[in-house]
């Protein structure tokens, strides 16, 4: 057995513990560690994401009659919710106050995406960086 084969037993001996763990226990701990690492990786995938798109309304989505700004404001006044359209996909949100003032504008929206919904943490003008 090489030094790296039984690292858990060596660590126990070095730090005053006893090396009473069986090979099955060591393998089980390694599997558990790998499972935790995988969960962390996949959990990170759902963290904040930035989407560049246009603020529109739920009724028109990506297709407007005429001027997108005027159409979005008219539909919003009629009760339609504001949405973000990016790459042909419409993202709904409950945080309407964060999109107000950006009707018809290109924006960078940062938040957590789940399916076709986004929980917004920040909205910035997409043309500001150009």
């Amino acid at each position: 057995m090489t030094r790296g084969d039984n690292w858990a037993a060596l660590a126990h001996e070095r730090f005053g513990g006893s090396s009473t763990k069986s090979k099955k226990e060591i393998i089980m701990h390694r599997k558990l560690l790998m499972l935790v690492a995988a969960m962390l990786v996949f959990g990170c995938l759902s963290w904040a994401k930035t989407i560049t798109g246009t603020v529109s309304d739920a009724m028109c989505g990506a297709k407007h009659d005429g001027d997108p700004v005027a159409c979005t404001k008219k539909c919003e006044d009629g009760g339609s919710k504001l949405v973000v359209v990016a790459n042909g996909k419409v993202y709904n949100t409950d945080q309407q106050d964060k999109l107000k003032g950006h009707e018809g504008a290109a924006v960078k929206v940062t938040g957590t995406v789940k399916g076709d919904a986004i929980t917004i943490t920040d909205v910035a003008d997409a043309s500001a960086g150009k």
Side-chain angles (χ1 to χ4, degrees):
M1 176 182 331
T2 66
R3 183 178 178 143
D5 289 339
N6 203 354
W7 60 270
L10 288 172
H12 275 277
E13 288 175 2
R14 173 166 279 190
F15 296 109
S18 63
S19 60
T20 59
K21 289 191 177 190
S22 69
K23 190 170 185 174
K24 283 185 179 182
E25 288 176 308
I26 293 170
I27 290 171
M28 190 61 114
H29 281 116
R30 286 181 183 172
K31 286 181 179 180
L32 182 62
L33 181 64
M34 292 301 292
L35 177 64
V36 169
M39 289 172 57
L40 284 172
V41 168
F42 287 113
C44 291
L45 295 176
S46 68
W47 284 354
K49 182 177 183 179
T50 300
I51 297 172
T52 302
T54 306
V55 176
S56 183
D57 61 275
M59 191 166 85
C60 295
K63 299 176 183 177
H64 296 280
D65 285 337
D67 179 33
V69 176
C71 181
T72 301
K73 286 182 180 182
K74 182 179 177 184
C75 290
E76 181 187 14
D77 290 342
S80 185
K81 287 190 169 192
L82 294 175
V83 296
V84 178
V85 179
N87 299 321
K89 186 170 181 175
V90 178
Y91 294 93
N92 299 300
T93 186
D94 290 331
Q95 293 133 327
Q96 297 294 297
D97 56 319
K98 293 190 178 186
L99 295 179
K100 287 196 186 292
H102 297 283
E103 292 89 344
V107 292
K108 288 184 180 181
V109 179
T110 303
T112 306
V113 176
K114 289 186 181 177
D116 66 347
I118 185 166
T119 302
I120 300 172
T121 55
D122 187 50
V123 178
D125 185 6
S127 62
K130 292 182 180 180

